[in-house]
Every structure is written in structure tokens, then in C-alpha cells.
Amino acid sequence: MKLTDLLYENVRDIWEGYLKHPFVRGIGDGSLDIERFRFFMLQDYLYLFDYAKVFALSVVKAQDSELMRHFSQLVYDTLNGEMAIHRSYMARLGISEAEAAAVRPSLANTSYTHYMLEIGHNGSIPEILASILACSWSYQVIGEALSKIPGATEHPFYGEWISGYSSDEYVASNQTILDLVNCYGDRCSDEEIARLKDIFANCSRYEAMFWDMAWNMEM
């Protein structure tokens, strides 16, 4: 069994909860209140800057040029690909860069990013990969699931978000992370795999907390 399969099986119930969450379901059926989505986009925009920093720490720790290229591309994909979705919505919502920069991160947001950055500074590359995978992979799973709802990708407001996270470009970027995790998994001891499962599970719980935070607009 691939390491990514082991990681997923350990958190299957948490991930199934994402698709049942009222925030996610509201995006899928178009019923989500715009103010909740606005709150989410601002918090997620802040989150992605720290998320990109975790990738950047992988560039520093990489021991060969191929890995450095992989991780530098993932930094680029985050800042110029995924963030493009956010910038588009911020323009539609009338949010300026200055307003976004002035937003205070929520407690759940800060706790999540600090956990990933601690792993980025002190952990191994496989541990860093496990910490970032929960976000990138779960958004693909959510995007693909919502894209199967009739008319969801054509929704005048939320269709762009769903299409972005189910796009070929996003799937390809996430596949790079999955492949790297599985490559390292072939060399990990049972003790190391247990550590990776723990990190992945913690970040999966943080993802659930992030959806709760967005739904409740909780600082």
C-alpha cells in the first residue's frame, strides 16, 4: 500500500466530514452566505503566505537540484496559481491588497500555520510534505466532489472556486506532492511512518477547524 493510502485511511472519517460541512455544502449548492465566504477568503489568503513559506523551507533543506526545483515550483504554484483564485474573488468582493494585509489571522489560522512552520523549521522533508499534504489534497478532493454536482461549476459566484480546485493545473500540482510523499514512503521505517501519520492527522484536524472557523466567522 502506498504511503498516501495509509495516511488517508487514518483520517478517512475526518475527510468525509469535510464534504458534509455546511460551509463546503454551501459552496456546492450555491447557498453559502457571501459574508461567510468573504471571511474565509481573507483568512485563507493569509494562510497561503505561511503555506508557501513551508514549501520554501523545503527548498532550503533539499539535498539535490531536482528536489529544489520541485519545491520551488510548488512555491510558485501557491503564490501565482492558487492565490490567483483568491485575488480574483478579492476583486469581486471589493477587497484591496491593503485591506487583506491588515486583517488579523484567527486563532485557528495562527495555530495551524505555526504548527506547519514548526515542522518546516525542525522536521525532515517527509515530515514537511505530510504537513502540507492535508491542505493541498483535501482541496482537490473537495473541488472534484463539488464539480460533480449538476450546475455547480456554472454557478455565477462559486463556480470559479470549484473549477479552480478541480482543474487539471491544480490536480497536477497536487500530484507532485503525492508522488514525493510516496517516494519517501518507500524508504521510511515503521517509526517514521507513524510520525508522518500523526502529522497528517493533526493537519487534517486543523483543516476541519478551519472550515468551522470560516462557518462561524470566529476570530
Side-chain angles (χ1 to χ4, degrees):
M1 185 179 287
K2 294 179 180 178
L3 177 54
T4 52
D5 294 330
L6 292 173
L7 297 178
Y8 174 74
E9 287 302 320
N10 191 46
V11 298
R12 179 189 289 271
D13 58 335
I14 300 173
W15 281 42
E16 288 176 350
Y18 301 156
L19 299 177
K20 299 173 184 176
H21 198 282
F23 193 98
V24 174
R25 292 174 63 181
I27 292 176
D29 63 21
S31 65
L32 181 66
D33 180 76
I34 295 294
E35 285 305 306
R36 280 190 166 108
F37 188 76
R38 190 180 196 276
F39 181 90
F40 164 75
M41 289 303 292
L42 286 168
Q43 289 295 321
D44 204 37
Y45 186 72
L46 297 178
Y47 167 90
L48 286 176
F49 281 110
D50 282 337
Y51 187 71
K53 290 176 185 178
V54 180
F55 281 124
L57 289 167
S58 301
V59 177
V60 174
K61 293 192 172 188
Q63 296 299 308
D64 62 73
S65 58
E66 183 179 2
L67 265 181
M68 291 181 71
R69 281 192 293 270
H70 277 308
F71 288 125
S72 62
Q73 182 63 49
L74 290 167
V75 174
Y76 180 88
D77 289 347
T78 301
L79 295 177
N80 298 283
E82 188 169 0
M83 273 193 167
I85 302 172
H86 291 68
R87 282 188 283 267
S88 173
Y89 273 107
M90 285 164 61
R92 294 167 72 178
L93 291 165
I95 302 169
S96 66
E97 290 276 354
E99 182 182 353
V103 170
R104 182 168 59 91
S106 71
L107 182 61
N109 196 349
T110 300
S111 180
Y112 188 3
T113 56
H114 282 199
Y115 178 75
M116 287 194 300
L117 286 166
E118 188 278 328
I119 292 171
H121 282 288
N122 300 310
S124 64
I125 286 182
E127 290 172 345
I128 294 172
L129 287 167
S131 75
I132 58 185
L133 182 60
C135 177
S136 66
W137 192 9
S138 68
Y139 270 61
Q140 178 188 333
V141 169
I142 290 168
E144 290 178 333
L146 298 185
S147 71
K148 296 174 183 176
I149 299 173
T153 56
E154 286 77 45
H155 188 274
F157 190 78
Y158 294 119
E160 182 182 352
W161 191 94
I162 297 168
S163 295
Y165 286 108
S166 59
S167 68
D168 291 342
E169 293 79 10
Y170 186 80
V171 171
S173 179
N174 184 60
Q175 190 61 48
T176 298
I177 305 172
L178 290 165
D179 291 343
L180 286 170
V181 170
N182 286 325
C183 181
Y184 276 104
D186 293 338
R187 304 172 237 162
C188 286
S189 66
D190 290 345
E191 182 179 354
E192 289 169 326
I193 289 174
R195 169 65 175 156
L196 299 179
K197 288 171 70 175
D198 184 57
I199 292 170
F200 188 72
N202 286 340
C203 289
S204 294
R205 293 187 185 98
Y206 272 123
E207 284 294 317
M209 289 169 60
F210 208 96
W211 293 121
D212 286 344
M213 173 271 297
W215 177 253
N216 297 315
M217 298 176 68
E218 182 177 40
M219 293 298 295

